[in-house]
Amino acid sequence: MEKITLNNGKVMPILGFGTFLTPNGETAVESVRCAIGCGYRHIDTAAIYGNEQSVGEGIQQSGVEREQLFITSKVWNADRGYDSTLKAFEKTLKDLRLDYLDLYLIHWPANKKHFGDQADSINKETWRAFEKLYKEGVVKTIGLSNFMPHHMDAVLQDAHIVPAVDQIEYHPGFIQAECVEYCKEKGIVVEAWSPLGRGNVLFDDLLVGLAEKYGHTVAQLVIRWVMQNGLVPLVKSVTPSRIEENIQVFDFEISQEDMALINGMSAERIGSHPDEADF
């Protein structure tokens, strides 16, 4: 597994296994255990996914030493703010049955549509709690999720620690170039959620043709494309064969010409816009 170095010197596996919409219970346990067995060492979950207990059980059952794994979770919107973030983190750590997290993210920024003039202060107070957790060593790396440049600018005004990661929606046709470039300038690694467009890209004619050219599946092609663009893809499946298939992306390289073709695609946003979200 290739790795990428973050701005605090920590290293993160360049391919992550996501657990969004993976049901709590045996499905989550088995998928996480299967993923680790296939070679994934980077597991991404969140409090709102409702499966942290099962993800933790899958980690325990994998038999892989904790130090070899990179585990991420996220604080949910209802728990933003200083004291509530610290309390939510304690629950996350307990549910995962871990002593520390490798990465903790603010899941969504508080926005002005929902919180008005209080939005920036809410995000700053949440980040202040994150910095406390980082300094205490119970979180090895801290970052953001779904934050756009203007959200990050506000946080950075009072921050003592620059976020190491921003996890955003990113898939063929929707690459959020301005946000990616902003993060690059700040030394923030971008993680791509839903890199397969929740399955929408798998039947695109251009991608199907390119996948055939490289002798790989469309999913493998897209995962490779994300990595060659310098991002960290988070791929999700509960099907063992696909879990294994999605990690087999280190044996080929997409040409610059074909990268440009994929980069030039156009598609719609899947998730909510961070400035419009009302949850």
Side-chain angles (χ1 to χ4, degrees):
M1 176 65 69
E2 296 177 9
K3 296 182 178 180
I4 189 167
T5 301
L6 303 173
N7 60 18
N8 65 348
K10 301 295 183 182
V11 294
M12 175 172 68
I14 199 168
L15 176 60
F17 182 74
T19 60
F20 176 59
L21 296 180
T22 300
N24 195 42
E26 195 60 27
T27 299
V29 174
E30 288 296 331
S31 62
V32 169
R33 185 171 63 182
C34 175
I36 296 173
C38 289
Y40 293 85
R41 293 296 180 264
H42 177 177
I43 308 296
D44 180 275
T45 187
I48 195 62
Y49 296 172
N51 58 17
E52 287 181 317
Q53 291 180 334
S54 296
V55 169
E57 180 62 25
I59 291 169
Q60 295 293 324
Q61 291 187 15
S62 74
V64 173
E65 293 182 3
R66 172 68 182 93
E67 293 72 22
Q68 297 182 25
L69 300 173
F70 191 98
I71 311 299
T72 300
S73 193
K74 313 173 191 77
V75 64
W76 183 238
N77 302 351
D79 295 315
R80 285 180 300 222
Y82 187 79
D83 291 331
S84 51
T85 290
L86 297 178
K87 184 177 180 180
F89 173 77
E90 290 180 5
K91 184 177 188 306
T92 278
L93 211 59
K94 181 179 179 181
D95 286 347
L96 286 167
R97 294 164 59 192
L98 299 176
D99 295 325
Y100 67 92
L101 284 183
D102 297 280
L103 176 61
Y104 199 38
L105 306 177
I106 304 177
H107 206 150
W108 288 86
N111 60 35
K112 295 186 185 304
K113 177 180 179 180
H114 198 43
F115 293 96
D117 294 339
Q118 297 300 311
D120 288 347
S121 63
I122 292 171
N123 292 329
K124 289 179 180 182
E125 282 298 287
T126 307
W127 189 249
R128 189 165 69 90
F130 270 52
E131 291 185 332
K132 173 180 171 61
L133 294 170
Y134 179 78
K135 290 173 183 177
E136 290 177 349
V138 288
V139 176
K140 303 304 181 183
T141 318
I142 51 177
L144 309 168
S145 179
N146 298 300
F147 275 61
M148 297 296 101
H150 58 284
H151 303 126
M152 288 185 272
D153 279 337
V155 169
L156 288 170
Q157 286 177 354
D158 298 329
H160 298 286
I161 301 170
V162 176
V165 167
D166 188 23
Q167 184 180 128
I168 62 174
E169 178 180 345
Y170 185 98
H171 46 81
F174 191 77
I175 59 175
Q176 305 208 69
E178 179 184 351
C179 186
V180 172
E181 184 59 30
Y182 174 98
C183 289
K184 183 178 179 180
E185 291 174 356
K186 299 288 186 182
I188 299 170
V189 168
V190 179
E191 292 184 330
W193 63 257
S194 286
L196 304 181
R198 294 188 184 161
N200 293 341
V201 306
L202 299 180
F203 306 101
D204 179 86
D205 289 342
L206 171 62
L207 298 176
V208 169
L210 289 175
E212 291 176 354
K213 172 182 176 180
Y214 288 98
H216 284 73
T217 67
V218 173
Q220 290 170 331
L221 176 84
V222 172
I223 294 165
R224 183 72 200 182
W225 163 78
V226 174
M227 293 193 299
Q228 285 188 214
N229 272 337
L231 281 72
V232 175
L234 302 171
V235 293
K236 177 254 180 177
S237 178
V238 297
T239 306
S241 61
R242 289 177 182 166
I243 292 173
E244 183 174 7
E245 176 185 286
N246 289 341
I247 201 174
Q248 296 171 352
V249 293
F250 298 98
D251 60 346
F252 74 107
E253 185 170 338
I254 304 170
S255 72
Q256 288 303 306
E257 293 79 9
D258 292 337
M259 287 291 293
L261 287 175
I262 303 173
N263 287 339
M265 291 175 61
S266 179
E268 298 295 321
R269 178 189 293 274
I270 294 173
S272 298
H273 190 293
D275 284 329
E276 298 297 323
D278 57 2
F279 45 83

